[in-house]
Amino acid sequence: MDIFGIPVQALMGQLLIGLINGSFYALLSLGLAVIFGLLNIINFAHGAFYMMGAFGAYLLLNKLGLNYWWALLLSPIIVGAVGVVLERTMLKRLYQLDHLYGLLLTFGLALIIQGLFRNEFGSSGLPYAIPAQLSGGQNLGFMFLPNYRAWVIVASLIVCLLTWYVIEHTRLGGYLRAATENPQLVQAFGINVPRMITLTFGFGVGLAALAGVMAAPIYQVGPLMGADLIIVVFAVVVIGGMGSIMGAIVTGFGLGLVEGLTKVFYPEASTTVIFVIMTIVLLLRPAGLFGAEK
Amino acid sequence: MKRKLLCSLIAGIGLAAGGLAHAEVSGGVVKIGVLSDMSGPYADLSGPGSVVAAKMAAEDYVKQTGSKLKIEIVSGDHQNKPDVGSSITRKWIDSEGVDMILDVPTSSVMFAVAEVVKEKNKVLVDSTGGSSDMTGKSCNANTVHWTYDTWMLAHGTGSAVVKSGGDSWFFLTADYAFGHALEKDTSEVVKANGGKVLGSVKVPLGTTDFSSFLLQAQGSKAKIVGLANAGNDTINSIKQAAEFGIVKGGQKMAGLLVFISDVHGLGLQTAQGLQLTETFYWNQDDGARAWSKRFGERHGGKMPTSAQAGVYAGMLHYLKAVDALQEDADGAKVVAEMKKLPTDDPLFGKGVVREDGRKIHPAYLFEVKTPAESKAPWDYYKLVQTIPADQAFRPLKDGNCPLVK
């Protein structure tokens, strides 16, 4: 059976692949949305943190002999700590200023971090093997699904939903949301708002690093891996609605699917289709699909 | 104090005399610009390593020949953008007295630089750009194309793979001039050798996820998945092909342009069994090994790629021609001299620069070793077949180069 001249089997395969890519988009845009929604910072260094997460995994393995599972735990913590330091020393000075200053600062940081890694490790990337427990794959009949990729979908779905739940449905999340609406009032209730903001930034950065660790076995661990992805992820966040957690998750997966389909029907457009959608969405709904008009 | 004065005086006289003796060498120095990708996807295979190779060429040439030439090297980053490449070239030639441009990866930049160099009558010795049009319809009297080109890659890998049973192909093609040319050239070779091309997919440059395209390759049931791409695109496609069990499923990968830095980045575990064509491998003989060891000492232990070896060899030959003429201002004249002199260097052996600017040397079909076969760091390739110099490159008459009458 064919749909538009493409065998159903191939189509299913592409949809599944789209879902896998979508899980990376979702995980990355989630971190961006958290940071923007709660801190009002357009974090252009997000791609660099993602890259640092992957390098963290590589260095933990090659310098300390710690495997993938350790990296999954430690790398986000380490990179998140770097994020905390950057927030404390630089970003916190910018909260009173226009968005643009945060954007420029983080963009500069991204360039510096990428430059340092490129000097140290070269540009063609370093190998990172798929963990032994997840190597191999399943023959689904319509496609060969590597076990590792199946794991990526499941893991990122869990992380995304957990994050959404914490922010939207727990007391901690409630404090966070309240602090963004009216920091003085929340502070008056005895809650340490600056610390909460710092930790939130660290958490967002940690999410990027987590995506980086998950990406390391699939892509080369290279200094430019974040730079390649960040523009797409920004498009995802804009389409979903800046700051909307659910928007980031849903559009992340959704756009992965759209991209996967484009790769079947017209591969040449696969890198631009997301921006075409972004343009259309911005024209029709300037706040994004899930964003609230302010 | 007196002694210092005397020394300065003698040095001054020496300088002046040197200047007199080489009045025809513009500005008293041969100035060479290494124009490369210093920070992007091709920085590891050329970039800073090419600058090291050029410096070694300058030092070795003076040491070995006792030449009186003064050689100066500058370097620049063209960022793989033709406009950046041509504006650096213009600036170098117009205001800094650069006589020769070296390296220049990325075909589009190579052509842009070649235009400027021709207009200013200087010299381009291109080691790293790929398109065979450089010595075909776009050839000119100021350019020498040194290490490899797309015709050579297509014929080397293409015909060898078909002859060893890989008679049906599916291409993953980088969606720009270089990829298209490589796919077209290789398809022709495959068909000429009795093989079939079952399909191809054009992949935008800088795609990081190749899984959709690999699924299409898998679905095509072609015996060979041909990679008409370069640098990080090649690395990612090979890595992900391993993940999707393409090779385990019985299909083979053929890398049409693979540098040793790519294999190093992939690791043997993933790259093993890959067939590729090269004109230089650091471990191929004693001369190459000795030079590569010195190179490695100056470049963080990394062994040279063929592109970097070509920078070294090409520059040596250029210096020979300048020395023979005692002039470097008239680029076309220097290139004519380079074509007249036979080439001989420790890396590519004896060869010639042909009328169309094509440097001629043998090419080699290598297979990447398994981790067990590799005995030392960077010990990656085993020789499958040597393609003699007279067959490795496109015959002179087939290129339609206007210089060839």
Side-chain angles (χ1 to χ4, degrees), chain A residues 185-205:
Chain A
L185 191 66
V186 175
Q187 190 114 32
F189 282 119
I191 291 162
N192 187 342
V193 172
R195 188 203 286 161
M196 208 155 74
I197 287 180
T198 305
L199 290 179
T200 308
F201 185 77
F203 175 73
V205 169

Side-chain angles (χ1 to χ4, degrees), chain B residues 43-245:
Chain B
D44 276 4
L45 64 91
S46 56
S50 292
V51 179
V52 171
K55 284 185 179 150
M56 286 175 72
E59 289 163 20
D60 291 359
Y61 182 74
V62 171
K63 209 189 290 169
Q64 282 159 15
T65 61
S67 164
K68 298 278 185 301
L69 285 181
K70 281 196 191 50
I71 305 155
E72 222 178 274
I73 294 168
V74 291
S75 62
D77 185 356
H78 63 45
Q79 301 165 32
N80 301 311
K81 293 176 187 144
D83 53 331
V84 176
S86 52
S87 69
I88 294 177
T89 307
R90 255 175 226 287
K91 194 182 95 201
W92 273 355
I93 294 174
D94 289 344
S95 56
E96 294 179 28
V98 166
D99 305 295
M100 190 265 262
I101 311 281
L102 200 55
D103 200 6
V104 199
T106 316
S107 297
S108 50
V109 187
M110 166 172 80
F111 287 123
V113 170
E115 273 304 306
V116 178
V117 166
K118 182 178 151 203
E119 177 197 321
K120 310 268 180 194
N121 192 24
K122 294 296 174 190
V123 180
L124 166 65
V125 177
D126 200 296
S127 174
T128 318
S131 172
S132 59
D133 282 348
M134 195 65 251
T135 53
K137 63 176 199 274
S138 307
C139 78
N140 68 60
N142 295 73
T143 298
V144 172
H145 202 187
W146 197 275
T147 311
Y148 73 100
D149 62 35
T150 47
W151 193 97
M152 176 220 104
L153 296 170
H155 284 251
T157 312
S159 63
V161 170
V162 177
K163 278 174 193 154
S164 63
D167 56 3
S168 59
W169 286 59
F170 185 94
F171 287 99
L172 297 191
T173 305
D175 195 14
Y176 70 111
F178 159 79
H180 292 197
L182 199 49
E183 183 196 325
K184 183 175 138 279
D185 286 353
T186 315
S187 301
E188 280 165 13
V189 176
V190 168
K191 286 177 203 152
N193 283 283
K196 286 193 302 277
V197 176
L198 300 181
S200 78
V201 54
K202 306 272 184 296
V203 182
L205 184 65
T207 294
T208 45
D209 195 277
F210 284 79
S211 39
S212 291
F213 309 117
L214 289 166
L215 278 187
Q216 294 175 45
Q218 213 164 20
S220 75
K221 305 270 193 294
K223 287 184 192 162
I224 304 294
V225 180
L227 302 175
N229 50 20
N232 287 3
D233 286 355
T234 309
I235 292 180
N236 271 327
S237 34
I238 294 173
K239 183 163 177 162
Q240 291 163 22
E243 200 191 337
F244 278 87

Side-chain angles (χ1 to χ4, degrees), chain B residues 261-277:
Chain B
S261 51
D262 302 333
V263 173
H264 184 70
L266 275 167
L268 290 185
Q269 189 59 42
T270 312
Q272 57 181 307
L274 185 73
Q275 295 201 327
L276 55 102
T277 311

